[in-house]
Amino acid sequence: MSLSISPDEMLVAGVEQGEYESEQPAAAPARSARAAFLSRTTFVGGITLTVVLFAVGAWNRRWIADDGLIVLRTVRNLMAGNGPVFNEGERVETNTSAAWTYVVWFFTWITQARAEYVVLGVTLAVSLAAIVFAMLGTARLWGGATSAFMLPAGVLVYIALPPARDYATSGLESGLVIFWIAVLWLLLIRWAQADRVRLPGLLGLVFWAGLAPLVRPEMTLFAAPALLMIFCAPVPQTRFRPIVVRGFIIAAAGLLPLGYQIWRMGYYGLPYPNTAVAKDAAGSKWGQGFKYLWDLVGPYYLWVPLLVLLIVGVLMVRSALAGKRRERREWTVRRVREWFRSPSAVVTLVLGSALILTVYALRVGGDFMHGRMLLAQLFLFLLPVAVVPVRVPDFRERRLSAGDWSFALVLFALIGTAGWALFAANTTAIKAGTKITSTGIVDERIYYVLNTGHDHPILAEDYLDYPRMRAMVNVIRDTPNGGLLLASPSFMDWYTAPPPLPIPQDGDEHTVFFLNLGMTSMNVPLNVRVIDQMGLAYPLAAHSDRLTDGRIGHDKNLYPDWVVVDTGMVDRHPWMPWYLDEKWVTQARVAMSCPDTQALLLSSRGPLTFERFRHNLKNALRFAEYRIDRVPKYEIQRCDLVDPYPAPHH
């Protein structure tokens, strides 16, 4: 079964092939040419209108998230020759999307422009390009009908959602993800519909699909079945034997991601980004996941356009089957393999992958950013109906056919979808502003707009007006001897633990221990170490146990006592901040002597020799699974060390 539809097969057209037989022979080609011109003009106009609406909506909400600034810290280190690290001398992969890191670095290196402006432009560009490729792929799915109007449908639903417009300029990899999806969608449809598949095009398709783990690791749940489907489908006839062609497919799809994976394990000592360790991406929080889903679906009544477009999609499929002879066929292995290279198989793949990715997002508990972690899934669900073909019936006929009523229903559905889009585009889902509700989910853009006082926080210095940021810069300036900066409860100041004597001639290192890594790291020089209690940039915190009832995405919280020991600062009062316990600090010092913990830290801090690379590669999986107890006393017990303050025996 194929979903590729010719104009004469569309039930919505309401026009039988024989309706124009009475016309003069010369009139039909002229009418056909006019119809084709109007169809192309309408489609191009629809793409232009959709892209312009999305661009205007995204630009009006332009900003760069704190997490978007995290990417730029790594870019700064790359530009400075320190390697793809967050802090010089500590190999930590703080960005979930490796591809996004290097894309931003490339355009920053090419343009030599300020990184914030580069990432803003690139994010917006790939987001808009994703819409174009999605519409091109879907138009091709429906056969590129020359006499039908290809009208925007699903894309209107996507661009209307405020989170979609928010993350079109956020500096995060959301735009790259949907761009990769849209291009893969177009390539798959072209492959499925081609009369003859050429080897270079096939290898380009599988190469693009193989980029999934570099674009974002969970996108492998879409790419892996796609690659399996391509591998099992009949291969093109070439001068190479089929087994050799399949070898080319494996090599083209796997060479780059496999090479990066080997490098990642040897360089960073982990099989996946450190963010996956910090957030325990293999963990399970189903209840929070369903809250996150409803947080997106509920306020916008998102189920309404999805249901409407589902009905439209069913009508389109019926159009494809209308008038076709339905043969009863036995499904043999050969027929299944042939079906794999068909538009209906591609649509099944896309919708199935969207469902699997949604289930995965529910399992891990979603995210703390409103809507962000469900945007790719929504985009996938909407792809088959990104545009829909509508062919206006010939109203000169007095008798209304079933196609006329079908046309009216589809047109009504599209008008309703457009009306919903106007409603959703002006809806505020989370009204808490600067407050974090019990769900832990916030409207990230509004949160930072209100907390910085800037309508469009883009530059790093815009975030200096966030609580504590300007004070942090002042403390670093006023403490040339170095030290450890710990945030005070006042939201406006910092406590400083000084380095021990003797102080080096040029002063000691500054270390900032704070949750908001992006704004912090982008407002200090690269020689200032920035780490966080959650562990995105700090392996010791990343490998601590997850808090059972912690806020989603922030459910690790390493005590600062560990950091005093780790940075080698003075660990006695009155030099140490008053609220730290000398007993706990002493216990943390003992706990950090655990051999396994030291081995973990050496994997990212030890000099990168060939032997270190080989050792990291061999032990990456073990390092990824290693966890410590954030309470020093309990960590001493876990590691079977001697507690300097043993509990008294009664």
Short mmCIF file of all heavy atoms in Angstrom, two decimals, residues 73 87-88 90 472 475-476 479 481-487 494-499 508-514 517 520 524-532 537-538 560 562-564 566-569 605:
data_model
loop_
_atom_site.label_atom_id
_atom_site.label_comp_id
_atom_site.label_asym_id
_atom_site.label_seq_id
_atom_site.Cartn_x
_atom_site.Cartn_y
_atom_site.Cartn_z
N ARG A 73 30.03 28.34 26.67
CA ARG A 73 31.26 28.21 27.47
C ARG A 73 32.19 27.18 26.82
O ARG A 73 33.40 27.40 26.72
CB ARG A 73 30.89 27.79 28.89
CG ARG A 73 32.06 27.35 29.76
CD ARG A 73 32.88 28.51 30.30
NE ARG A 73 33.81 28.03 31.32
CZ ARG A 73 34.38 28.79 32.24
NH1 ARG A 73 34.14 30.08 32.26
NH2 ARG A 73 35.20 28.29 33.13
N ASN A 87 35.44 23.40 31.82
CA ASN A 87 36.50 24.01 32.62
C ASN A 87 37.85 23.48 32.14
O ASN A 87 38.00 22.28 31.94
CB ASN A 87 36.33 23.68 34.11
CG ASN A 87 35.13 24.39 34.72
OD1 ASN A 87 35.03 25.61 34.67
ND2 ASN A 87 34.22 23.62 35.31
N GLU A 88 38.79 24.38 31.96
CA GLU A 88 40.11 23.98 31.49
C GLU A 88 40.73 22.99 32.48
O GLU A 88 40.71 23.19 33.69
CB GLU A 88 41.01 25.21 31.35
CG GLU A 88 42.38 24.92 30.78
CD GLU A 88 43.23 26.16 30.65
OE1 GLU A 88 42.72 27.27 30.96
OE2 GLU A 88 44.40 26.04 30.24
N GLU A 90 39.68 19.89 32.96
CA GLU A 90 38.72 18.87 33.41
C GLU A 90 37.83 18.50 32.23
O GLU A 90 37.02 19.30 31.78
CB GLU A 90 37.89 19.40 34.58
CG GLU A 90 37.04 18.33 35.23
CD GLU A 90 36.44 18.79 36.55
OE1 GLU A 90 36.01 19.96 36.63
OE2 GLU A 90 36.40 17.99 37.50
N MET A 472 28.73 38.38 42.17
CA MET A 472 29.77 37.37 41.90
C MET A 472 30.96 38.00 41.18
O MET A 472 32.12 37.78 41.55
CB MET A 472 29.19 36.25 41.05
CG MET A 472 30.20 35.23 40.59
SD MET A 472 29.60 34.21 39.22
CE MET A 472 29.57 35.43 37.88
N VAL A 475 32.93 40.11 43.62
CA VAL A 475 33.70 39.33 44.60
C VAL A 475 34.97 38.79 43.95
O VAL A 475 36.06 38.83 44.54
CB VAL A 475 32.85 38.18 45.17
CG1 VAL A 475 33.72 37.21 45.96
CG2 VAL A 475 31.74 38.73 46.05
N ILE A 476 34.86 38.29 42.74
CA ILE A 476 36.04 37.77 42.03
C ILE A 476 37.06 38.89 41.82
O ILE A 476 38.27 38.71 42.00
CB ILE A 476 35.63 37.13 40.70
CG1 ILE A 476 34.83 35.86 40.95
CG2 ILE A 476 36.85 36.83 39.82
CD1 ILE A 476 34.26 35.22 39.71
N THR A 479 38.86 39.75 45.19
CA THR A 479 39.62 38.70 45.88
C THR A 479 40.71 38.17 44.94
O THR A 479 40.60 37.05 44.42
CB THR A 479 38.70 37.55 46.33
OG1 THR A 479 37.95 37.09 45.18
CG2 THR A 479 37.76 37.99 47.41
N ASN A 481 43.46 36.93 45.51
CA ASN A 481 44.14 35.73 45.98
C ASN A 481 43.41 34.45 45.58
O ASN A 481 43.93 33.35 45.77
CB ASN A 481 44.27 35.76 47.51
CG ASN A 481 45.31 36.78 47.96
OD1 ASN A 481 46.17 37.20 47.17
ND2 ASN A 481 45.24 37.19 49.21
N GLY A 482 42.19 34.59 45.04
CA GLY A 482 41.42 33.41 44.66
C GLY A 482 40.51 32.95 45.78
O GLY A 482 40.39 33.60 46.83
N GLY A 483 39.85 31.82 45.59
CA GLY A 483 38.97 31.28 46.61
C GLY A 483 37.76 30.58 46.01
O GLY A 483 37.56 30.57 44.79
N LEU A 484 36.97 30.00 46.90
CA LEU A 484 35.76 29.28 46.51
C LEU A 484 34.56 30.14 46.85
O LEU A 484 34.35 30.51 48.01
CB LEU A 484 35.68 27.94 47.26
CG LEU A 484 34.36 27.18 47.17
CD1 LEU A 484 34.07 26.75 45.74
CD2 LEU A 484 34.37 25.96 48.11
N LEU A 485 33.74 30.47 45.83
CA LEU A 485 32.54 31.28 46.02
C LEU A 485 31.34 30.37 46.23
O LEU A 485 31.02 29.53 45.38
CB LEU A 485 32.30 32.20 44.82
CG LEU A 485 33.07 33.53 44.79
CD1 LEU A 485 34.57 33.29 44.58
CD2 LEU A 485 32.53 34.43 43.68
N LEU A 486 30.68 30.55 47.38
CA LEU A 486 29.48 29.79 47.72
C LEU A 486 28.33 30.77 47.89
O LEU A 486 28.46 31.78 48.59
CB LEU A 486 29.70 28.99 49.01
CG LEU A 486 30.85 27.98 48.99
CD1 LEU A 486 31.08 27.40 50.39
CD2 LEU A 486 30.54 26.86 48.01
N ALA A 487 27.20 30.49 47.25
CA ALA A 487 26.06 31.41 47.28
C ALA A 487 25.48 31.50 48.68
O ALA A 487 25.32 30.50 49.38
CB ALA A 487 24.99 30.94 46.31
N TRP A 494 27.73 36.48 48.31
CA TRP A 494 28.47 35.23 48.28
C TRP A 494 29.35 35.12 49.51
O TRP A 494 29.85 36.11 50.02
CB TRP A 494 29.37 35.17 47.03
CG TRP A 494 28.60 35.20 45.74
CD1 TRP A 494 28.07 36.30 45.13
CD2 TRP A 494 28.28 34.08 44.93
NE1 TRP A 494 27.43 35.93 43.97
CE2 TRP A 494 27.55 34.58 43.82
CE3 TRP A 494 28.53 32.71 45.00
CZ2 TRP A 494 27.07 33.74 42.81
CZ3 TRP A 494 28.06 31.88 44.00
CH2 TRP A 494 27.34 32.39 42.92
N TYR A 495 29.53 33.89 49.96
CA TYR A 495 30.55 33.59 50.96
C TYR A 495 31.78 33.09 50.22
O TYR A 495 31.68 32.43 49.18
CB TYR A 495 30.08 32.52 51.94
CG TYR A 495 28.94 32.96 52.83
CD1 TYR A 495 27.68 32.40 52.71
CD2 TYR A 495 29.15 33.94 53.81
CE1 TYR A 495 26.64 32.79 53.53
CE2 TYR A 495 28.11 34.35 54.63
CZ TYR A 495 26.86 33.77 54.48
OH TYR A 495 25.83 34.18 55.29
N THR A 496 32.96 33.39 50.75
CA THR A 496 34.20 32.98 50.09
C THR A 496 35.06 32.19 51.05
O THR A 496 35.38 32.65 52.16
CB THR A 496 34.99 34.22 49.61
OG1 THR A 496 34.14 35.02 48.77
CG2 THR A 496 36.21 33.78 48.82
N ALA A 497 35.43 30.98 50.62
CA ALA A 497 36.40 30.19 51.37
C ALA A 497 37.77 30.46 50.75
O ALA A 497 37.97 30.19 49.55
CB ALA A 497 36.06 28.71 51.28
N PRO A 498 38.75 31.00 51.51
CA PRO A 498 40.03 31.41 50.93
C PRO A 498 40.96 30.22 50.70
O PRO A 498 40.81 29.17 51.33
CB PRO A 498 40.60 32.36 51.99
CG PRO A 498 40.03 31.83 53.28
CD PRO A 498 38.66 31.33 52.95
N PRO A 499 41.94 30.40 49.80
CA PRO A 499 42.93 29.34 49.60
C PRO A 499 43.93 29.34 50.74
O PRO A 499 44.11 30.36 51.42
CB PRO A 499 43.58 29.73 48.27
CG PRO A 499 43.44 31.21 48.21
CD PRO A 499 42.14 31.53 48.89
N ASP A 508 45.63 32.52 43.51
CA ASP A 508 45.15 31.16 43.32
C ASP A 508 43.91 31.17 42.43
O ASP A 508 43.41 32.23 42.03
CB ASP A 508 44.82 30.54 44.69
CG ASP A 508 45.02 29.03 44.69
OD1 ASP A 508 44.88 28.43 43.61
OD2 ASP A 508 45.32 28.46 45.75
N GLU A 509 43.40 30.00 42.15
CA GLU A 509 42.24 29.86 41.27
C GLU A 509 40.95 30.27 41.97
O GLU A 509 40.79 30.04 43.16
CB GLU A 509 42.14 28.40 40.80
CG GLU A 509 40.96 28.11 39.90
CD GLU A 509 40.84 26.63 39.57
OE1 GLU A 509 40.50 25.84 40.48
OE2 GLU A 509 41.07 26.25 38.40
N HIS A 510 40.06 30.87 41.21
CA HIS A 510 38.70 31.10 41.69
C HIS A 510 37.82 29.94 41.23
O HIS A 510 37.92 29.50 40.07
CB HIS A 510 38.12 32.40 41.13
CG HIS A 510 38.59 33.63 41.84
ND1 HIS A 510 39.61 34.42 41.35
CD2 HIS A 510 38.18 34.22 43.00
CE1 HIS A 510 39.82 35.43 42.17
NE2 HIS A 510 38.97 35.35 43.18
N THR A 511 36.95 29.49 42.12
CA THR A 511 35.95 28.48 41.76
C THR A 511 34.59 28.98 42.21
O THR A 511 34.43 29.43 43.37
CB THR A 511 36.24 27.13 42.44
OG1 THR A 511 37.51 26.64 41.98
CG2 THR A 511 35.17 26.10 42.09
N VAL A 512 33.61 28.93 41.31
CA VAL A 512 32.24 29.34 41.63
C VAL A 512 31.39 28.07 41.68
O VAL A 512 31.36 27.29 40.73
CB VAL A 512 31.68 30.31 40.58
CG1 VAL A 512 30.25 30.72 40.96
CG2 VAL A 512 32.57 31.54 40.46
N PHE A 513 30.69 27.88 42.79
CA PHE A 513 29.83 26.71 42.99
C PHE A 513 28.38 27.20 42.98
O PHE A 513 27.89 27.75 43.95
CB PHE A 513 30.18 26.04 44.32
CG PHE A 513 29.43 24.77 44.60
CD1 PHE A 513 29.48 23.69 43.73
CD2 PHE A 513 28.68 24.64 45.76
CE1 PHE A 513 28.81 22.51 44.00
CE2 PHE A 513 27.99 23.46 46.04
CZ PHE A 513 28.06 22.40 45.16
N PHE A 514 27.71 26.99 41.84
CA PHE A 514 26.37 27.57 41.69
C PHE A 514 25.60 26.76 40.65
O PHE A 514 26.17 26.18 39.73
CB PHE A 514 26.48 29.04 41.26
CG PHE A 514 25.19 29.81 41.36
CD1 PHE A 514 24.49 29.88 42.55
CD2 PHE A 514 24.69 30.50 40.26
CE1 PHE A 514 23.32 30.61 42.66
CE2 PHE A 514 23.51 31.23 40.35
CZ PHE A 514 22.82 31.28 41.55
N LEU A 517 24.75 27.47 35.55
CA LEU A 517 26.08 27.40 34.95
C LEU A 517 26.29 28.38 33.80
O LEU A 517 27.38 28.89 33.60
CB LEU A 517 26.34 25.98 34.44
CG LEU A 517 26.63 24.91 35.48
CD1 LEU A 517 26.71 23.55 34.79
CD2 LEU A 517 27.92 25.20 36.20
N THR A 520 26.64 32.15 34.81
CA THR A 520 27.81 32.25 35.66
C THR A 520 29.09 32.14 34.84
O THR A 520 29.98 32.99 34.91
CB THR A 520 27.78 31.13 36.72
OG1 THR A 520 26.55 31.18 37.44
CG2 THR A 520 28.93 31.28 37.70
N VAL A 524 32.46 35.24 33.50
CA VAL A 524 33.77 35.18 34.15
C VAL A 524 34.79 34.70 33.12
O VAL A 524 34.43 34.08 32.12
CB VAL A 524 33.75 34.21 35.36
CG1 VAL A 524 32.80 34.72 36.44
CG2 VAL A 524 33.37 32.79 34.93
N PRO A 525 36.07 34.98 33.35
CA PRO A 525 37.11 34.49 32.43
C PRO A 525 37.17 32.96 32.44
O PRO A 525 36.66 32.30 33.35
CB PRO A 525 38.39 35.11 32.99
CG PRO A 525 37.95 36.22 33.88
CD PRO A 525 36.62 35.82 34.43
N LEU A 526 37.83 32.40 31.44
CA LEU A 526 37.93 30.95 31.33
C LEU A 526 38.79 30.34 32.44
O LEU A 526 38.69 29.14 32.72
CB LEU A 526 38.52 30.56 29.96
CG LEU A 526 37.62 30.81 28.74
CD1 LEU A 526 38.34 30.42 27.47
CD2 LEU A 526 36.30 30.05 28.87
N ASN A 527 39.66 31.16 33.07
CA ASN A 527 40.48 30.61 34.15
C ASN A 527 39.74 30.54 35.48
O ASN A 527 40.31 30.13 36.49
CB ASN A 527 41.79 31.40 34.31
CG ASN A 527 41.53 32.86 34.66
OD1 ASN A 527 40.40 33.29 34.83
ND2 ASN A 527 42.60 33.64 34.75
N VAL A 528 38.48 30.95 35.49
CA VAL A 528 37.63 30.78 36.67
C VAL A 528 36.85 29.49 36.50
O VAL A 528 36.12 29.31 35.53
CB VAL A 528 36.67 31.97 36.86
CG1 VAL A 528 35.70 31.69 38.01
CG2 VAL A 528 37.45 33.25 37.10
N ARG A 529 37.03 28.58 37.44
CA ARG A 529 36.35 27.29 37.37
C ARG A 529 34.91 27.46 37.85
O ARG A 529 34.67 28.08 38.90
CB ARG A 529 37.08 26.27 38.23
CG ARG A 529 36.57 24.85 38.11
CD ARG A 529 37.42 23.91 38.94
NE ARG A 529 36.93 22.55 38.90
CZ ARG A 529 36.92 21.73 39.94
NH1 ARG A 529 37.40 22.14 41.12
NH2 ARG A 529 36.47 20.50 39.82
N VAL A 530 33.96 26.92 37.08
CA VAL A 530 32.54 27.02 37.43
C VAL A 530 31.98 25.61 37.52
O VAL A 530 32.03 24.85 36.54
CB VAL A 530 31.76 27.85 36.39
CG1 VAL A 530 30.29 27.93 36.78
CG2 VAL A 530 32.36 29.25 36.27
N ILE A 531 31.44 25.26 38.67
CA ILE A 531 30.88 23.92 38.88
C ILE A 531 29.52 24.06 39.57
O ILE A 531 29.17 25.13 40.08
CB ILE A 531 31.82 23.03 39.73
CG1 ILE A 531 32.15 23.72 41.06
CG2 ILE A 531 33.08 22.69 38.95
CD1 ILE A 531 33.04 22.88 41.96
N ASP A 532 28.75 22.98 39.55
CA ASP A 532 27.38 23.05 40.08
C ASP A 532 27.08 21.84 40.95
O ASP A 532 27.66 20.77 40.80
CB ASP A 532 26.38 23.11 38.93
CG ASP A 532 26.44 21.87 38.06
OD1 ASP A 532 27.54 21.48 37.64
OD2 ASP A 532 25.38 21.27 37.80
N ALA A 537 28.37 20.05 35.15
CA ALA A 537 29.77 20.31 34.82
C ALA A 537 30.71 19.81 35.91
O ALA A 537 31.90 20.14 35.89
CB ALA A 537 29.98 21.82 34.61
N TYR A 538 30.21 19.02 36.83
CA TYR A 538 30.99 18.61 38.00
C TYR A 538 30.82 17.11 38.22
O TYR A 538 29.80 16.68 38.76
CB TYR A 538 30.53 19.41 39.22
CG TYR A 538 31.42 19.28 40.44
CD1 TYR A 538 32.77 19.00 40.33
CD2 TYR A 538 30.89 19.47 41.71
CE1 TYR A 538 33.58 18.90 41.45
CE2 TYR A 538 31.69 19.39 42.84
CZ TYR A 538 33.04 19.10 42.70
OH TYR A 538 33.83 19.00 43.81
N PRO A 560 28.16 21.47 49.85
CA PRO A 560 29.38 22.26 49.57
C PRO A 560 30.60 21.79 50.36
O PRO A 560 31.72 22.15 50.02
CB PRO A 560 28.97 23.68 49.97
CG PRO A 560 27.82 23.52 50.90
CD PRO A 560 27.10 22.30 50.45
N TRP A 562 31.95 18.94 50.35
CA TRP A 562 32.79 18.20 49.41
C TRP A 562 33.64 19.15 48.57
O TRP A 562 34.81 18.87 48.28
CB TRP A 562 31.91 17.38 48.46
CG TRP A 562 31.14 16.26 49.09
CD1 TRP A 562 29.93 16.35 49.70
CD2 TRP A 562 31.53 14.89 49.14
NE1 TRP A 562 29.52 15.11 50.13
CE2 TRP A 562 30.49 14.19 49.79
CE3 TRP A 562 32.63 14.17 48.69
CZ2 TRP A 562 30.53 12.81 50.01
CZ3 TRP A 562 32.68 12.80 48.90
CH2 TRP A 562 31.64 12.13 49.56
N VAL A 563 33.06 20.28 48.19
CA VAL A 563 33.74 21.21 47.28
C VAL A 563 34.90 21.90 47.99
O VAL A 563 35.94 22.16 47.38
CB VAL A 563 32.74 22.24 46.73
CG1 VAL A 563 33.38 23.07 45.63
CG2 VAL A 563 31.49 21.55 46.20
N VAL A 564 34.73 22.21 49.27
CA VAL A 564 35.83 22.80 50.04
C VAL A 564 37.04 21.87 50.01
O VAL A 564 38.18 22.31 49.80
CB VAL A 564 35.38 23.07 51.49
CG1 VAL A 564 36.57 23.49 52.35
CG2 VAL A 564 34.30 24.15 51.53
N ASP A 566 37.56 19.36 47.77
CA ASP A 566 37.99 19.12 46.39
C ASP A 566 38.81 20.28 45.84
O ASP A 566 39.74 20.07 45.05
CB ASP A 566 36.76 18.87 45.52
CG ASP A 566 37.11 18.36 44.14
OD1 ASP A 566 38.15 17.67 44.01
OD2 ASP A 566 36.36 18.62 43.19
N THR A 567 38.49 21.50 46.23
CA THR A 567 39.22 22.67 45.71
C THR A 567 40.44 23.01 46.57
O THR A 567 41.22 23.90 46.20
CB THR A 567 38.30 23.90 45.64
OG1 THR A 567 37.69 24.12 46.93
CG2 THR A 567 37.20 23.69 44.60
N GLY A 568 40.58 22.34 47.72
CA GLY A 568 41.75 22.57 48.57
C GLY A 568 41.72 23.87 49.33
O GLY A 568 42.78 24.43 49.64
N MET A 569 40.53 24.38 49.66
CA MET A 569 40.42 25.65 50.38
C MET A 569 40.57 25.41 51.89
O MET A 569 40.50 24.29 52.39
CB MET A 569 39.09 26.32 50.06
CG MET A 569 38.93 26.66 48.59
SD MET A 569 40.20 27.82 48.01
CE MET A 569 40.20 27.49 46.26
N ARG A 605 40.39 14.27 34.98
CA ARG A 605 41.37 15.27 35.40
C ARG A 605 42.82 14.87 35.12
O ARG A 605 43.69 15.73 35.05
CB ARG A 605 41.21 15.56 36.90
CG ARG A 605 39.88 16.16 37.27
CD ARG A 605 39.77 16.37 38.77
NE ARG A 605 38.47 16.89 39.16
CZ ARG A 605 38.08 17.09 40.42
NH1 ARG A 605 38.92 16.83 41.41
NH2 ARG A 605 36.86 17.55 40.68
#
